[in-house]
Structures are given as structure tokens and as C-alpha cells.
Amino acid sequence: MGLSAAAPLWGPPGLLLTIALHPALSGRPHRDYCVLGAGPAGLQMAYFLQRAGRDYAVFERAPGPGSFFTRYPRHRKLISINKRHTGKANAEFNLRHDWNSLLSHDPRLLFRHYSRAYFPDAGDMVRYLGDFADRLGLHVLYDTAITHVTLDKDQQAWNGHYFTLTDQKGQAYQCSVLLVATGLSVPNQVDFPGSEHVEGYESVSVDPEDFVGQNVLILGRGNSAFETAENILGVTNFIHMLSRSRVRLSWATHYVGDLRAINNGLLDTYQLKSLDGLLESDLTDLAILKDHNGKFHVTLKFFLEEANTNQSADSITLPQDDNDNFAMRVAYDRVIRCLGWNFDFSIFNMSLRLNSGSAFGKKYPLIRASYESKGSRGLFILGTASHSVDYRKSAGGFIHGFRYTVRAVHRLLEHRHHGLAWPSTMHPITQLTNSIIRRVNEASGLYQMFGVLADVILLKENATAFEYLEEFPIQMLAQLETLTGRKARHGLFIITMEYGKNFSGPDKDVFFYDRSVGHTEDAWQSNFLHPVIYYYRHLPTEQEVRFRPAHWPLPRPAAIHHIVEDFLTDWTAPVGHILPLRRFLENCLDTDLRSFYAESCFLFALTHQKLPPFCQQGYMRMQGLVSTETLRQHAVESRLLRDYATADRPLKDSSQQPGDHEPVGHHLAPGSLVQSLDSNKEEL
């Protein structure tokens, strides 16, 4: 009866029979794919697995999805943009400015339908994720807290081992592939004398009335620290903010995880001298003492170590005893810790080797650029916890970034375990320029995961055609053939989006005069986000990728082209954007990528041994659009065609039908947007 009841969730009877007969799996429900966490990343992966018809389950400790957002951010305002209007109807383009929606085929599941606010309430995200899971019928086991994860070696398993998950009730589950999407949930704490007096961001009061007339010290310099300060800025005596590093403004670093403008009110009050202030110091060098009035004092750990620890706090030496203008010589009523979050390693057995032991390794699991664990094959980290791949560089730690990295992981898994090559489209070489222009103008994955995901164009023999792959992790480029099932034997182009190499940083003035670049000859000096095309004659090796030039996302190519930055992020200007790109591609391929009228192809056939690809693939195969009298006359007036009809034209016979005098074979290129030129004139 128990097995029968579980059948709808755990698969067909054949799978249950296999489980019953396999000694290693007896009594343990088995899944090909197990997803830990029903947050945005976990649900996004569940969607792709379900669409592919895979055997999977999502394990969620809470009674519903998105449990992180039921509590955080503490002051309920998200800093992810909900831009509902762009003036464009292109759904892919609009996702560039929608930082909250997950990817799906259902247009109802766009976040703009859940909030009108530019910076939405966290409760709207909880509601959205609930609908996403319910409407798509995703397989989520709620109220199932996985308390331990370990490995069981088995040569019959996909990766040479199974992952065994144990929940809070002692029930064990076995999985071939483990996808961890638990986010960062452990508050980051610094151990120093007096740290027990500090309140945490995760538990401090969010009622401003509790801070009226108080002196407050906040430890931290990120969005959670400034969010906390913003909430109480108008009721406190003053707020001091202490951190070991300088403030990093997102508009200067171009990293969305740094301080956002919505939270930076304290910067105004600091610089305009309204009592609040920012200070820099390493927290491990400090100590916090509590006096007999319950006030807190900041001192140096050095003074504490020199003193007799049995003495009262009031007798410990304070910095102002030696330096009477010590910045933090005032007493504080509250000290609040806002130092960010770490990954929860506690449920994972040491055999999984997720933790490197380094300081950075305590925050994020140790993973490759493919998001697979370096220590355990078949274990992938998704979502916020995978941000080590592009930390402080791109958007991989946020929904608008990891929705694309999750899709990339799914595509890798589809090839590895199911033999399905990375999705691609095949095109004749004449469509190369248009294909690139279309993607750089609308693709959201390239735009959000700049410098991390890239489109790959694989050239076919003699450059007659190409295969287009979208959003591949570029740091895995050397393994492209193994990971995708596609061959790169005749050269390739890589399309990325990049900022200028010297334009981002906490110390950069990004508003300097003449910051924008407008001339095509200076495109390589573009500062703002713009498309960059790399050309390689062969697939780069592991060594070339590893030892690439400093601050380069890729190894040095055979040729590189920057499409000049555009204020409107609209790279469709015929002269400024398309023509330089086409000429670059032609130089790389040693061919002519222009489009021509049939007349020009006819003349080429008479005067050239090698025809342009457009003529080879169109005119010579009797393909194209037959002209009409109106179209022919327009071409004549535009001086794109010679007016053969008027030269030595015989008198029109009364029995001649309209159009009988039109030259036979004047074909136009397919597509209404292609402009064709005479044999000695270029298409712009």
C-alpha cells in the first residue's frame, strides 16, 4: 500500500521494481536528479528537468517555496529591478531589465504581473515562486529537511557513486545527480572579544521606534548594513558604520551586489556632515566592552590582552586614553552585525570535499566554471551559492544571472547523461552578420552574464555555413566539444558582452567627462557594456585558457572586434555597428558576406572564378525573390540596377501583357530587410 501510494511521485512501477531488486537501493527511493532547495534556482532547475521529462524531485525544508524571502531582506524591499515597461515587445529583450522572473514558457509567470513597484516587496517574490511551482506542477517535497548528504560508491551509477540524502525523519533517498540550490543561509560572524554583545542582522529589531535617540554602530559595509541604516536613519542620534574595506558603489564597480543607490542615504549624511559616518578598520583588531551603564565601547584587542581579564570593563584602557581625538571615543547603545552570509556546509559529509578550507572557501563551495563540484563528480551548485565563479564580476549570484547559468548546467547534463547535444541552429554563412547583430541586440543571458556566458559560432568546412550555440560558460571553452557534443574543427567565433577594462572599480570616477566612445575606430576603448567578438582558428587549449592575459575573459585570439558602445544599447546602426562587424568577419573568413541582386551575381559569374557566398547559395541555386515592375523601377531610380528595359526597347505590341518586358531572372535576396547593391557598390 505504501509503495502504491508513492508511485505517482516516485515514478512508474518499473522503477519501483528496479529499486526493490537492487540491493544498494532497497528501501531507499531513487531519483536520477535530486534538487536541494525550492528557492528561485531550485525551481528553475526543476522546470528544465520537467520540460525534458527527467526523473527528479526537489527537497524543501519549509512548507512552501522561497522560504528565504519570507524573512529576508529584513526590511522587505528587494533591490532587484522590476522594470515593467521598456517600449519593446521582444520578450527576450525585456528580460534584460526584468531581474526577478524565472525562465518558462508561460507568459503569465513574469514577475511584472505580481508587482507594480520598481523595487518590489519580498512578499511578492514568495507569492510568485509559489505560483511558479504550482502552475508548472513541479515535483517538490515540502517539509522535508535534508540533514545529511554522503556518497555511496557504485560502479553502476552514472558518476561512479550515488548521493544518499537523509531527512529529519531518518528517511534516506538516493540520487544519481545532486543539484544543490540552498543559497547562502549562515550569517557571517567575526570572532573578537566582545562579539557576544553584538546583535545580528538576522534578529535585530526592524521597528525604528526601538532606536529613537540612540547611538548605533553597524559592523559591515554591504547592502544589508546600509538597508539597516536606512531604516533607522531618521530616529537615531547618529550611526557609525565600520568595516575593513572602503565602500563599493555598484555604479562604479558595475557589480549589482555592491551598494545600490536605493540604500545609500547614509553616504549623504556622512559627506554633508550630519553626524553619521563611515570608518575603516579590521574587526579582528578590535574589542567591544560593556560598561556598568550598559553602554558599549570600542577598544583595541591589544589593550585587552595587556590588561588583567578579571578587571571590570570600566578599568580597561581605551584608545581615547592615549589619543583624545579617537574617532570612536563615544559610547554606543547598540552594535549590529551585518556581515553577509555563508554557505551551510554542515549537512555535507567530508567525503564530498565541498570546502577548500580557505577564507573564500568558507563562504562558497569549491566548484569549477561548469558549476560542478571539484571534489565530487555529479554534484552541481546552483544559484547564489554558485557565485564563486563570477564573484564581484557578473550577476551569477542573483536571479537575473543564475536563471541562465542553471539553464547552462541543465544543457551540460542533457548531453552527459542523455546524449543530447547542446542546442544549436545551422545557418548559411551569408546569415553570419545578421545572426550576431540579432543576438547582441536582444539576448538577455549574454547581457546579464557578461564575461561569463558567451555565444559560440562553429564554422563549417570552407566557411560555407556555421552552427550557433547560445550562452556557453566561456571558462570551459577548452572542453567545449566534450561538454556539448559539437565539433569545432574549422575555427570559431565567440560573442561576449564586456565593460571597458579600466572602467570598473571602487575607486573609479565613472562620470568623468568624455567617458563615452562614439567613433568606430575607437571602439576598442569603449567603456560601457558592449559586444566583443573573438575569432580563433582552433579551439583554445586548457593551458591557453588558464594562462590567458590578465583581466581577459578569454585567451588571446587570432582577431578581435569591439562593436562600439551605444547609449541606447541598440547596435543596429548600418555604418557605426553593422558595416565594421561585417568587414571584420570578412577579413577573418577571407570571403565576401554582402548580399546582391541577381544581376550582380550574373556579372560575377562572368568575370570571377569564385562567387560570393550569397550568389553561390542564392542565385546559382535559383533562389531569391522575383522582382516586380515596381521593385525594378525603384532599384533603377536608386541606381542599384541599370535600366535595361528602356535601352533599345521595341515598340509595345497591343497583345503584350503587363510585365512581359521585365528582364528574366532579376531576383532579390530573401527577406524584406536586406538591401542589395550593384556589383561595384557595397551593402551597408
Side-chain angles (χ1 to χ4, degrees):
M1 183 67 179
L3 286 178
S4 177
L9 180 61
W10 288 102
L15 176 61
L16 296 175
L17 180 60
T18 302
I19 293 173
L21 295 178
H22 197 302
L25 303 181
S26 182
R28 297 179 180 177
H30 176 269
R31 282 296 195 191
D32 289 342
Y33 298 94
C34 290
V35 182
L36 293 190
L43 295 182
Q44 185 67 88
M45 177 55 79
Y47 168 76
F48 291 125
L49 291 171
Q50 180 142 313
R51 292 282 285 181
R54 304 304 172 202
D55 176 47
Y56 80 95
V58 181
F59 298 86
E60 171 55 49
R61 63 183 177 181
S67 59
F68 179 87
F69 295 100
T70 62
R71 186 170 183 182
Y72 302 108
R74 293 296 312 282
H75 304 92
R76 309 312 292 149
K77 181 174 288 189
L78 300 176
I79 58 173
S80 48
I81 291 172
N82 178 39
K83 191 168 181 61
R84 302 173 64 243
H85 305 286
T86 65
K88 301 289 182 68
N90 186 294
E92 178 70 11
F93 174 87
N94 288 339
L95 279 173
R96 288 184 169 187
H97 309 286
D98 174 353
W99 291 13
N100 299 286
S101 294
L102 297 179
L103 304 178
S104 81
H105 63 282
D106 190 343
R108 297 175 300 172
L109 292 173
L110 292 173
F111 194 83
R112 69 169 184 261
H113 301 311
Y114 289 79
S115 174
R116 300 176 63 87
Y118 193 64
F119 294 106
D121 186 89
D124 294 327
M125 177 60 73
V126 175
R127 187 164 54 91
Y128 170 74
L129 295 175
D131 282 357
F132 190 89
D134 293 342
R135 288 185 180 179
L136 297 172
L138 304 181
H139 301 160
V140 185
L141 296 175
Y142 296 112
D143 296 313
T144 305
I146 300 301
T147 58
H148 189 65
V149 180
T150 189
L151 284 179
D152 286 330
K153 293 190 178 298
D154 191 318
Q155 294 303 315
Q156 297 182 7
W158 286 352
N159 298 292
H161 51 250
Y162 290 106
F163 297 95
T164 300
L165 285 56
T166 306
D167 68 15
Q168 77 276 25
K169 298 178 182 178
Q171 172 66 56
Y173 308 87
Q174 212 150 31
C175 317
S176 298
V177 174
L178 180 59
L179 302 152
V180 180
T182 53
L184 305 180
S185 58
V186 179
N188 183 35
Q189 302 189 43
V190 177
D191 186 20
F192 57 86
S195 59
E196 66 274 13
H197 302 309
V198 174
E199 301 176 77
Y201 169 80
E202 67 278 5
S203 58
V204 70
S205 171
V206 295
D207 184 357
E209 291 300 314
D210 293 339
F211 297 85
V212 172
Q214 293 187 352
N215 305 341
V216 177
L217 174 63
I218 296 178
L219 308 180
R221 189 64 55 84
N223 279 295
S224 61
F226 277 89
E227 168 203 333
T228 301
E230 195 77 15
N231 184 53
I232 59 177
L233 201 57
V235 298
T236 55
N237 294 335
F238 58 79
I239 300 173
H240 289 167
M241 193 173 287
L242 178 66
S243 177
R244 65 180 179 182
S245 60
R246 60 169 295 168
V247 64
R248 298 174 58 94
L249 302 170
S250 61
W251 66 60
T253 63
H254 302 113
Y255 171 62
V256 297
D258 284 334
L259 179 60
R260 304 288 299 286
I262 188 176
N263 287 327
N264 68 11
L266 187 137
L267 297 184
D268 269 4
T269 57
Y270 169 46
Q271 290 293 342
L272 299 178
K273 300 307 293 179
S274 185
L275 298 181
D276 306 309
L278 275 67
L279 297 158
E280 286 78 38
S281 179
D282 193 328
L283 298 181
T284 58
D285 294 333
L286 303 179
I288 294 179
L289 302 174
K290 187 176 183 180
D291 65 20
H292 66 281
N293 293 318
K295 303 284 187 179
F296 301 107
H297 300 264
V298 176
T299 187
L300 300 177
K301 187 192 297 185
F302 171 77
F303 292 147
L304 203 63
E305 291 170 347
E306 283 192 335
N308 184 343
T309 55
N310 292 325
Q311 292 179 317
S312 68
D314 297 281
S315 61
I316 298 295
T317 302
L318 297 176
Q320 54 264 37
D321 296 335
D322 293 332
N323 181 4
D324 60 6
N325 71 337
F326 176 60
M328 292 185 290
R329 60 185 179 271
V330 296
Y332 297 97
D333 298 290
R334 312 279 283 265
V335 182
I336 306 171
R337 165 183 43 77
C338 302
L339 299 174
W341 308 90
N342 295 329
F343 181 77
D344 185 2
F345 292 94
S346 65
I347 67 172
F348 298 95
N349 188 277
M350 292 294 292
S351 62
L352 294 164
R353 294 180 293 172
L354 272 179
N355 193 333
S356 66
S358 66
F360 192 67
K362 293 179 181 178
K363 183 177 183 66
Y364 292 110
L366 193 61
I367 60 175
R368 306 179 191 278
S370 61
Y371 304 96
E372 186 170 20
S373 166
K374 290 186 176 180
S376 301
R377 180 177 169 84
L379 193 162
F380 290 82
I381 306 297
L382 310 177
T384 303
S386 70
H387 196 27
S388 59
V389 171
D390 64 306
Y391 184 62
R392 292 199 186 282
K393 297 177 182 177
S394 197
F398 312 90
I399 292 176
H400 62 290
F402 65 61
R403 61 191 178 195
Y404 301 106
T405 62
V406 168
R407 182 164 64 183
V409 170
H410 177 255
R411 288 170 172 171
L412 296 176
L413 292 171
E414 285 291 289
H415 175 59
R416 177 187 291 185
H417 298 303
H418 308 288
L420 298 178
W422 192 281
S424 69
T425 54
M426 191 75 70
H427 306 274
I429 201 67
T430 52
Q431 295 183 21
L432 182 58
T433 306
N434 287 343
S435 295
I436 295 174
I437 289 295
R438 180 183 65 84
R439 285 288 294 170
V440 300
N441 277 289
E442 67 178 38
S444 179
L446 287 183
Y447 194 83
Q448 297 296 1
M449 290 304 296
F450 54 88
V452 179
L453 298 181
D455 284 1
V456 180
I457 294 174
L458 304 177
L459 297 170
K460 298 305 175 183
E461 189 173 5
N462 298 323
T464 57
F466 64 92
E467 194 172 11
Y468 204 109
L469 284 66
E470 297 178 0
E471 297 164 14
F472 181 79
I474 56 177
Q475 296 310 310
M476 302 302 294
L477 185 59
Q479 301 177 38
L480 180 138
E481 294 186 337
T482 303
L483 296 176
T484 66
R486 306 293 180 182
K487 300 300 180 184
R489 295 174 178 171
H490 306 288
L492 62 158
F493 290 100
I494 308 295
I495 296 92
T496 70
M497 303 289 286
E498 299 176 18
Y499 280 96
K501 287 183 170 53
N502 297 310
F503 192 53
S504 302
D507 59 341
K508 301 295 183 181
D509 175 13
V510 293
F511 298 104
F512 68 91
Y513 196 73
D514 286 338
R515 59 189 173 273
S516 62
V517 174
H519 298 293
T520 56
E521 60 268 25
D522 299 323
W524 64 279
Q525 294 180 307
S526 293
N527 287 313
F528 288 92
L529 195 65
H530 64 283
V532 184
I533 296 90
Y534 296 74
Y535 171 62
Y536 297 93
R537 294 187 178 91
H538 60 79
L539 193 64
T541 64
E542 289 270 12
Q543 187 173 16
E544 288 172 335
V545 172
R546 180 176 301 178
F547 297 106
R548 62 189 181 275
H551 309 298
W552 281 52
L554 287 165
R556 192 175 299 278
I560 188 171
H561 177 71
H562 292 254
I563 301 180
V564 68
E565 66 183 55
D566 187 78
F567 183 71
L568 302 175
T569 63
D570 178 10
W571 291 280
T572 57
V575 175
H577 302 137
I578 299 175
L579 180 58
L581 172 63
R582 199 204 72 214
R583 286 177 169 168
F584 166 75
L585 299 174
E586 289 176 337
N587 288 334
C588 291
L589 302 178
D590 191 24
T591 191
D592 190 333
L593 296 178
R594 289 177 295 172
S595 301
F596 298 93
Y597 276 99
E599 176 193 26
S600 299
C601 289
F602 174 71
L603 295 176
F604 273 128
L606 295 178
T607 59
H608 293 69
Q609 291 185 347
K610 181 181 178 181
L611 293 180
F614 184 88
C615 294
Q616 294 178 27
Q617 299 170 5
Y619 173 75
M620 299 303 291
R621 297 182 181 180
M622 300 298 291
Q623 295 178 358
L625 179 66
V626 178
S627 71
T628 64
E629 174 60 22
T630 302
L631 204 55
R632 189 195 66 78
Q633 186 62 35
H634 176 73
V636 169
E637 293 172 356
S638 302
R639 297 184 179 180
L640 299 177
L641 284 179
R642 296 174 185 174
D643 191 1
Y644 295 107
T646 61
D648 300 323
R649 177 185 295 175
L651 293 176
K652 184 174 181 182
D653 184 81
S654 59
S655 62
Q656 190 176 27
Q657 297 298 315
D660 284 355
H661 62 274
E662 295 178 7
V664 177
H666 281 288
H667 297 278
L668 297 181
S672 60
L673 295 181
V674 178
Q675 292 180 328
S676 301
L677 303 180
D678 204 351
S679 57
N680 58 357
K681 296 181 72 176
E682 287 187 334
E683 173 204 31
L684 294 184

mmCIF file of all heavy atoms in Angstrom, residues 37-40 60-72 76 126 129:
data_model
loop_
_atom_site.group_PDB
_atom_site.id
_atom_site.type_symbol
_atom_site.label_atom_id
_atom_site.label_comp_id
_atom_site.label_asym_id
_atom_site.label_seq_id
_atom_site.Cartn_x
_atom_site.Cartn_y
_atom_site.Cartn_z
ATOM 1 N N GLY A 37 16.507 22.433 -2.180
ATOM 2 C CA GLY A 37 16.076 23.817 -2.068
ATOM 3 C C GLY A 37 15.074 24.218 -3.126
ATOM 4 O O GLY A 37 15.309 24.017 -4.324
ATOM 5 N N ALA A 38 13.942 24.772 -2.688
ATOM 6 C CA ALA A 38 12.899 25.239 -3.608
ATOM 7 C C ALA A 38 12.869 26.754 -3.650
ATOM 8 O O ALA A 38 11.811 27.379 -3.644
ATOM 9 C CB ALA A 38 11.536 24.684 -3.196
ATOM 10 N N GLY A 39 14.069 27.342 -3.700
ATOM 11 C CA GLY A 39 14.168 28.775 -3.960
ATOM 12 C C GLY A 39 14.172 29.012 -5.456
ATOM 13 O O GLY A 39 13.883 28.104 -6.247
ATOM 14 N N PRO A 40 14.511 30.216 -5.899
ATOM 15 C CA PRO A 40 14.482 30.506 -7.337
ATOM 16 C C PRO A 40 15.347 29.565 -8.171
ATOM 17 O O PRO A 40 14.918 29.096 -9.229
ATOM 18 C CB PRO A 40 14.995 31.950 -7.406
ATOM 19 C CG PRO A 40 14.673 32.530 -6.075
ATOM 20 C CD PRO A 40 14.819 31.410 -5.099
ATOM 21 N N GLU A 60 12.535 20.475 -0.016
ATOM 22 C CA GLU A 60 12.428 21.791 0.600
ATOM 23 C C GLU A 60 12.027 21.634 2.057
ATOM 24 O O GLU A 60 11.029 20.981 2.380
ATOM 25 C CB GLU A 60 11.404 22.650 -0.136
ATOM 26 C CG GLU A 60 11.038 23.962 0.535
ATOM 27 C CD GLU A 60 12.235 24.842 0.834
ATOM 28 O OE1 GLU A 60 13.070 25.050 -0.074
ATOM 29 O OE2 GLU A 60 12.340 25.310 1.994
ATOM 30 N N ARG A 61 12.808 22.218 2.965
ATOM 31 C CA ARG A 61 12.554 22.055 4.399
ATOM 32 C C ARG A 61 11.341 22.844 4.882
ATOM 33 O O ARG A 61 10.719 22.493 5.882
ATOM 34 C CB ARG A 61 13.782 22.492 5.189
ATOM 35 C CG ARG A 61 14.137 23.957 5.013
ATOM 36 C CD ARG A 61 15.398 24.312 5.763
ATOM 37 N NE ARG A 61 15.787 25.703 5.548
ATOM 38 C CZ ARG A 61 16.876 26.252 6.080
ATOM 39 N NH1 ARG A 61 17.670 25.534 6.835
ATOM 40 N NH2 ARG A 61 17.160 27.517 5.844
ATOM 41 N N ALA A 62 10.980 23.903 4.176
ATOM 42 C CA ALA A 62 9.856 24.743 4.580
ATOM 43 C C ALA A 62 8.552 24.216 3.970
ATOM 44 O O ALA A 62 8.570 23.375 3.080
ATOM 45 C CB ALA A 62 10.103 26.185 4.150
ATOM 46 N N PRO A 63 7.412 24.737 4.441
ATOM 47 C CA PRO A 63 6.128 24.290 3.881
ATOM 48 C C PRO A 63 5.798 24.877 2.518
ATOM 49 O O PRO A 63 4.778 24.529 1.925
ATOM 50 C CB PRO A 63 5.109 24.755 4.933
ATOM 51 C CG PRO A 63 5.763 25.883 5.647
ATOM 52 C CD PRO A 63 7.224 25.572 5.652
ATOM 53 N N GLY A 64 6.632 25.766 1.994
ATOM 54 C CA GLY A 64 6.383 26.365 0.686
ATOM 55 C C GLY A 64 7.688 26.824 0.077
ATOM 56 O O GLY A 64 8.738 26.850 0.737
ATOM 57 N N PRO A 65 7.680 27.205 -1.206
ATOM 58 C CA PRO A 65 8.915 27.636 -1.868
ATOM 59 C C PRO A 65 9.325 29.049 -1.468
ATOM 60 O O PRO A 65 8.521 29.824 -0.949
ATOM 61 C CB PRO A 65 8.538 27.577 -3.353
ATOM 62 C CG PRO A 65 7.073 27.831 -3.369
ATOM 63 C CD PRO A 65 6.524 27.214 -2.118
ATOM 64 N N GLY A 66 10.608 29.365 -1.702
ATOM 65 C CA GLY A 66 11.100 30.722 -1.454
ATOM 66 C C GLY A 66 11.130 31.095 0.012
ATOM 67 O O GLY A 66 10.878 32.256 0.354
ATOM 68 N N SER A 67 11.478 30.157 0.882
ATOM 69 C CA SER A 67 11.414 30.435 2.321
ATOM 70 C C SER A 67 12.372 31.546 2.733
ATOM 71 O O SER A 67 12.118 32.266 3.708
ATOM 72 C CB SER A 67 11.709 29.162 3.122
ATOM 73 O OG SER A 67 12.996 28.653 2.807
ATOM 74 N N PHE A 68 13.484 31.720 2.016
ATOM 75 C CA PHE A 68 14.425 32.789 2.350
ATOM 76 C C PHE A 68 13.722 34.144 2.306
ATOM 77 O O PHE A 68 13.949 35.006 3.160
ATOM 78 C CB PHE A 68 15.604 32.771 1.371
ATOM 79 C CG PHE A 68 16.626 33.849 1.612
ATOM 80 C CD1 PHE A 68 17.666 33.647 2.502
ATOM 81 C CD2 PHE A 68 16.553 35.073 0.951
ATOM 82 C CE1 PHE A 68 18.615 34.645 2.730
ATOM 83 C CE2 PHE A 68 17.491 36.071 1.174
ATOM 84 C CZ PHE A 68 18.526 35.854 2.069
ATOM 85 N N PHE A 69 12.844 34.323 1.317
ATOM 86 C CA PHE A 69 12.189 35.619 1.130
ATOM 87 C C PHE A 69 11.037 35.846 2.106
ATOM 88 O O PHE A 69 10.486 36.943 2.150
ATOM 89 C CB PHE A 69 11.692 35.748 -0.307
ATOM 90 C CG PHE A 69 12.807 35.777 -1.322
ATOM 91 C CD1 PHE A 69 13.146 34.634 -2.030
ATOM 92 C CD2 PHE A 69 13.522 36.934 -1.547
ATOM 93 C CE1 PHE A 69 14.163 34.650 -2.957
ATOM 94 C CE2 PHE A 69 14.556 36.966 -2.471
ATOM 95 C CZ PHE A 69 14.883 35.818 -3.178
ATOM 96 N N THR A 70 10.658 34.836 2.859
ATOM 97 C CA THR A 70 9.644 35.064 3.888
ATOM 98 C C THR A 70 10.217 35.874 5.051
ATOM 99 O O THR A 70 9.463 36.473 5.814
ATOM 100 C CB THR A 70 9.104 33.727 4.422
ATOM 101 O OG1 THR A 70 10.164 32.983 5.027
ATOM 102 C CG2 THR A 70 8.474 32.903 3.310
ATOM 103 N N ARG A 71 11.571 35.910 5.120
ATOM 104 C CA ARG A 71 12.208 36.631 6.218
ATOM 105 C C ARG A 71 13.183 37.710 5.752
ATOM 106 O O ARG A 71 13.387 38.704 6.439
ATOM 107 C CB ARG A 71 12.944 35.634 7.115
ATOM 108 C CG ARG A 71 13.522 36.272 8.350
ATOM 109 C CD ARG A 71 14.021 35.253 9.339
ATOM 110 N NE ARG A 71 14.506 35.878 10.558
ATOM 111 C CZ ARG A 71 15.038 35.223 11.576
ATOM 112 N NH1 ARG A 71 15.133 33.897 11.520
ATOM 113 N NH2 ARG A 71 15.459 35.867 12.651
ATOM 114 N N TYR A 72 13.776 37.495 4.623
ATOM 115 C CA TYR A 72 14.804 38.426 4.139
ATOM 116 C C TYR A 72 14.406 38.983 2.776
ATOM 117 O O TYR A 72 13.731 38.305 2.000
ATOM 118 C CB TYR A 72 16.160 37.718 4.047
ATOM 119 C CG TYR A 72 16.622 37.124 5.346
ATOM 120 C CD1 TYR A 72 16.623 35.746 5.528
ATOM 121 C CD2 TYR A 72 17.048 37.932 6.395
ATOM 122 C CE1 TYR A 72 17.034 35.182 6.715
ATOM 123 C CE2 TYR A 72 17.465 37.373 7.598
ATOM 124 C CZ TYR A 72 17.459 35.998 7.758
ATOM 125 O OH TYR A 72 17.861 35.452 8.942
ATOM 126 N N ARG A 76 12.146 44.133 3.902
ATOM 127 C CA ARG A 76 11.166 43.674 2.923
ATOM 128 C C ARG A 76 11.290 44.271 1.537
ATOM 129 O O ARG A 76 10.571 43.837 0.638
ATOM 130 C CB ARG A 76 9.724 43.891 3.427
ATOM 131 C CG ARG A 76 9.451 43.352 4.827
ATOM 132 C CD ARG A 76 9.953 41.935 5.021
ATOM 133 N NE ARG A 76 9.208 40.941 4.246
ATOM 134 C CZ ARG A 76 9.762 39.814 3.776
ATOM 135 N NH1 ARG A 76 11.047 39.573 3.950
ATOM 136 N NH2 ARG A 76 9.027 38.964 3.100
ATOM 137 N N VAL A 126 7.686 35.739 -2.777
ATOM 138 C CA VAL A 126 7.178 34.486 -2.201
ATOM 139 C C VAL A 126 5.933 34.037 -2.961
ATOM 140 O O VAL A 126 5.786 32.854 -3.313
ATOM 141 C CB VAL A 126 6.864 34.661 -0.702
ATOM 142 C CG1 VAL A 126 6.235 33.393 -0.138
ATOM 143 C CG2 VAL A 126 8.135 35.012 0.068
ATOM 144 N N LEU A 129 6.952 32.768 -6.524
ATOM 145 C CA LEU A 129 7.579 31.447 -6.530
ATOM 146 C C LEU A 129 6.564 30.352 -6.235
ATOM 147 O O LEU A 129 6.648 29.243 -6.785
ATOM 148 C CB LEU A 129 8.728 31.403 -5.521
ATOM 149 C CG LEU A 129 9.916 32.326 -5.835
ATOM 150 C CD1 LEU A 129 10.942 32.287 -4.717
ATOM 151 C CD2 LEU A 129 10.563 31.940 -7.166
#
